[in-house]
Amino acid sequence: MHVALITRYPPRHALDAGRGTAGYSKRLARALVAGGCRVTVLADLLDGEQPEYEEDGVIVRRVWGSGRHAISPIVEAIGAIRPDIVHLQHELF
C-alpha cells in the first residue's frame, strides 16, 4: 500500500526530529514503512534541502510553501505519485 503524508517534515538527517508536527510525522512515516507500506511525504519547502530524497525508507518530496498557493503543487504531486491513501497531517496555511 502506498501512503502519501502531507505534512511539515524535519530537515534531512536531523538528529532530533522534535516534538511538533514535523517530528511526529517523521516517526509516523517510519512506522508505516516498518509495517510494510510505501510512504511518500509531500513536505514543506525548506531552504537548503533537496527537493526529493529518500531517508529511512521514506521518500520525501518537498513541494509546497505556506499560504494559499500551497494546494496546487500538492495536487500535482498526488497526481504524479498516485497513492492509495492520502493523509493530511496538519494545516497548510
Side-chain angles (χ1 to χ4, degrees):
M1 177 168 298
H2 185 190
V3 178
L5 300 178
I6 302 168
T7 184
R8 297 191 183 282
Y9 206 74
R12 188 175 193 182
H13 304 304
L15 296 178
D16 179 15
R19 288 180 250 173
T21 303
Y24 174 82
S25 297
K26 184 169 188 170
R27 290 186 287 279
L28 175 61
R30 292 164 93 187
L32 288 168
V33 167
C37 293
R38 189 171 104 201
V39 178
T40 302
V41 175
L42 303 177
D44 51 327
L45 297 166
L46 292 178
D47 289 339
E49 285 288 300
Q50 295 176 334
E52 185 170 343
Y53 57 90
E54 185 174 338
E55 182 179 41
D56 300 324
V58 177
I59 298 166
V60 179
R61 296 180 71 180
R62 295 200 174 270
V63 299
W64 58 270
S66 294
R68 64 183 185 154
H69 300 290
I71 300 298
S72 181
I74 292 170
V75 170
E76 288 177 26
I78 290 169
I81 65 172
R82 305 189 56 79
D84 299 303
I85 296 173
V86 177
H87 177 73
L88 175 62
Q89 184 64 30
H90 195 60
E91 79 274 355
L92 298 176
F93 307 103

